[in-house]
Every structure is written in C-alpha cells, then in structure tokens.
Amino acid sequence: MSIIIKSDRGIEAMRKAGRIAAGARSLARQMIEPGITTAAINKEIFRFIKASGAEPTFLGYAGYPASACISINDQVIHGIPGKRRIQEGDIVSIDVGATWGGYVGDCAGTFPCGQCSDDALRLIKITRDSFWQAMTVAREGNRVSDISAAVQKYAEENGCSVVRDYVGHGVGQKMHEDPEVPNFVSKVHGSPRLCKGMTIAVEPMINAGGYEVKVLPDGWTVLTEDGSLSAHYENTILITDGEPEILTYADDI
C-alpha cells in the first residue's frame, strides 16, 4: 500500500478540481425532472467541466463512455447515460469527477425526481447522514476503519444495508489511489491511520434491502440483487490536523 500525502500545491489543485466537480453535481441535480434523458444531463456535465477549464475524469476511464455515472432507483453505481428518461418518483444518483491541474475531484449524490415515496426520501437522507457520521471520525490519528464503522453502524441501525463489493478510495493525481475506504468494517482491507495531507473519497452506497449486487451485461451498471432502492453520497475530503476539509462541498447538496 502506498498512500500519497499531498503537497500544498497539490491540495490547492484538488480544491479547484473539487469545486468544479461539485459544481457539475449541482448542475445535474438542478436538471433532474420528469422526461429528461440521462444523456442530456451527461452532455451538460461535460460542457460545464470543459468550460471550467477541467477535464471530465470519468470519460474514457477504463473504457467508460461518459462524463458521469447516472444511476436510477435500484441501480447502485456506474449507470451509463443514454436514452432512458427519468420519471416522476425516481431517485437519481449522479457521480462525477473533474481533473484540473493534474488532480481529481470526485463526488456523488442521490436526488429525488418530483414527488418520491417516503421510503425513497428516507433512504437518501440515511445515506447522506451516514457520510456526515463518518466525518465525525475523519481525524488525524484515527484509522480508515473508524470511517467504515461509522457508516456501517448508522446505516444498519436505520434498517439499511451497506454495499460490500465497492468501496471508497484515495484520490489525487489518479482517481483511485490507496487506501481503500470501505463502508463496512473488514480485516481484508486493512486499516491504515489517517494522516494530515491524505485525500480520500468517502462514499456510502446504501441499499434499502440486502447488500448483494449484480452487474448488467454492459459490464458497468451495478444493481441491487433484490431490486431494492439504492442511494449514493460521496465527497472528496482532506485530512487535516483538525476538522476534515470537504473539497467537493456544495451548499445545495
């Protein structure tokens, strides 16, 4: 495992990349309405990132064909934008990355389309709140497993499950760096200490039903095995000698 501690210059670049990624996520949230295609949202995300002087990190990453992942209802992550039209009552997960100055900002959020069920809105809130639970322990000297335990405990106490097959990660000049940041406690993943200058993507992926998932034949789109709803909330954060700094923060999300 090779965890990269960021220089002051690198952190400044990540702040810029994070602001752009967060702006793209906010734009996408504002576009969600009945009848809009996921491709139309993806197109505007691409335009926004490019107009901001950055590059869409996801586009071409390991062959991924779009600038954002847009996942609906039982789709957990990595939904490929296309002709699908968002419907009233859907919940829509937007995951986006921007690269500026050689550094990456990575963030996600799940948002309702129009009037959604109480259960759907509750899932979105639990997922977002589990991230904020993690922030209370994202402190220098603690371990990655403290983040994992905080997310898992909050989600499971609220009757939800935590996806096991996909995890958060370090982020910097590459979108995926060490360490892995699971949303559940696992000895397999190890548990390095959090150090000042570490930058990580904390991203709870929470299901209303069981935690088991499957991948569609497109090789990307991940769904809940039981067809239950799923929500996703992610920010890139900087570990400091005090409170963690959210590099992809947005007031509206």
Side-chain angles (χ1 to χ4, degrees):
M1 183 180 295
S2 179
I3 297 172
I4 300 170
I5 301 301
K6 306 305 185 296
S7 66
D8 289 345
R9 186 190 69 82
I11 290 169
E12 280 304 313
M14 290 195 69
R15 287 189 178 111
K16 177 67 173 179
R19 285 193 294 270
I20 295 169
R25 179 181 55 179
S26 294
L27 171 65
R29 181 193 63 80
Q30 293 162 13
M31 292 182 67
I32 293 171
E33 63 181 9
I36 194 168
T37 65
T38 54
I41 295 175
N42 177 74
K43 184 177 180 179
E44 291 307 310
I45 287 173
F46 174 83
R47 287 179 176 175
F48 178 89
I49 293 173
K50 294 289 283 187
S52 300
E55 295 296 325
T57 311
F58 294 5
L59 185 60
Y61 184 86
Y64 188 73
S67 299
C69 300
I70 304 179
S71 309
I72 301 173
N73 295 335
D74 62 335
Q75 295 177 346
V76 182
I77 50 172
H78 301 164
I80 300 173
K83 296 180 180 179
R84 180 171 179 173
R85 294 187 182 277
I86 296 171
Q87 304 295 319
E88 179 87 14
D90 285 344
I91 61 171
V92 184
S93 297
I94 306 288
D95 191 358
V96 61
T99 302
W100 186 92
Y103 287 84
V104 176
D106 186 13
C107 61
T110 300
F111 312 108
C113 178
Q115 295 295 316
C116 290
S117 70
D118 289 343
D119 287 344
L121 295 175
R122 181 173 180 273
L123 175 65
I124 291 173
K125 185 176 188 303
I126 289 168
T127 303
R128 187 179 188 277
D129 288 351
S130 70
F131 169 86
W132 291 105
Q133 289 293 315
M135 289 304 92
T136 66
V137 295
R139 300 291 193 277
E140 185 176 31
N142 286 349
R143 293 187 180 274
V144 168
S145 60
D146 293 316
I147 291 174
S148 307
V151 172
Q152 182 176 16
K153 182 174 185 290
Y154 187 82
E156 292 181 352
E157 282 182 349
N158 282 278
C160 297
S161 66
V162 176
V163 172
R164 304 300 207 264
D165 293 53
Y166 300 88
V167 299
H169 50 89
V171 59
Q173 289 182 292
K174 297 180 179 178
M175 184 161 66
H176 293 104
E177 296 181 350
D178 289 333
E180 291 190 331
V181 185
N183 297 303
F184 58 97
V185 177
S186 168
K187 293 181 180 179
V188 174
H189 291 265
S191 188
R193 289 203 180 274
L194 300 172
C195 301
K196 181 181 177 181
M198 285 175 61
T199 47
I200 56 177
V202 178
E203 52 176 319
M205 291 161 271
I206 308 298
N207 297 344
Y211 64 76
E212 298 86 356
V213 298
K214 59 185 178 182
V215 182
L216 288 182
D218 64 22
W220 286 102
T221 309
V222 179
L223 290 80
T224 57
E225 182 71 45
D226 59 10
S228 63
L229 293 177
S230 185
H232 185 198
Y233 188 76
E234 174 187 18
N235 281 301
T236 299
I237 71 166
L238 168 68
I239 302 300
T240 73
D241 54 7
E243 300 239 345
E245 178 182 346
I246 299 177
L247 302 177
T248 50
Y249 183 77
D251 289 337
D252 60 335
I253 292 175

